[in-house]
Amino acid sequence: MGVRKRERAEQIKEAKKQVAFAKLNNCPTSPRKMRLVADLVRGEKVEKALQILKFSQKEASGRVEKLLLSAIANWQAKNEDVNLEEAELFVKEIRVDGGSMLKRLRPAPQGRAHRIRKRSNHVTLVLGANNNTQS
């Protein structure tokens, strides 16, 4: 491996150390309802986001809170030597995509049937660190 390639690989590795993510797949909530909760915490600091999710009335907030705690644990596993409070973690990105649909039939009048679509979603949460105060 050449010198430039090795240096670039080290730069990429250092950049990835500042970012941690967690994914929640096939969550049985409609994406529209989950996006309402995701919008509450997008761009917030981790401590504030946890408080928002803890006291939110929405059912989806419990799942997002658990996902956020998982992302924090992933970040701590990458950065064992850095203190969590000094890192100033924040929710860099939270994305809610549609998942698979369960299709069911509901009987309707005069021998017809209506299709019920039970939606699910995929949530991707990315944490970033603001530790540019370190030297």
Side-chain angles (χ1 to χ4, degrees):
M1 186 184 294
V3 176
R4 281 190 312 206
K5 195 171 184 180
R6 188 177 303 116
E7 287 174 356
R8 181 69 183 140
E10 289 295 323
Q11 288 175 347
I12 291 172
K13 191 174 180 182
E14 283 301 313
K16 283 187 176 181
K17 260 191 150 182
Q18 302 303 319
V19 175
F21 74 97
K23 285 185 77 171
L24 174 64
N25 285 333
N26 293 320
C27 179
T29 308
S30 73
R32 186 175 180 178
K33 291 177 185 175
M34 188 63 87
R35 281 188 193 108
L36 290 172
V37 175
D39 292 341
L40 292 174
V41 296
R42 186 175 285 119
E44 297 286 348
K45 292 191 182 231
V46 167
E47 295 82 14
K48 187 175 179 187
L50 283 171
Q51 293 300 317
I52 290 170
L53 293 171
K54 185 177 181 114
F55 295 109
S56 175
Q57 295 290 319
K58 304 264 184 206
E59 183 200 345
S61 64
R63 293 184 172 122
V64 176
E65 182 183 5
K66 193 171 178 183
L67 184 69
L68 181 57
L69 290 170
S70 174
I72 293 168
N74 291 344
W75 186 86
Q76 283 178 323
K78 276 186 180 179
N79 303 286
E80 294 171 350
D81 54 333
V82 182
N83 191 1
L84 184 63
E85 286 77 28
E86 294 172 3
E88 294 181 17
L89 289 178
F90 68 101
V91 180
K92 187 173 186 179
E93 179 184 345
I94 183 166
R95 196 170 54 245
V96 181
D97 302 318
S100 59
M101 259 186 272
L102 288 174
K103 293 176 182 167
R104 299 288 181 259
L105 292 176
R106 164 154 287 163
Q110 298 181 352
R112 288 192 291 263
H114 291 253
R115 181 171 285 159
I116 305 292
R117 292 186 300 271
K118 297 187 175 195
R119 300 174 189 271
S120 68
N121 64 55
H122 306 313
V123 185
T124 307
L125 193 142
V126 179
L127 292 181
N130 275 347
N131 59 354
N132 39 0
T133 57
Q134 286 184 346
S135 318

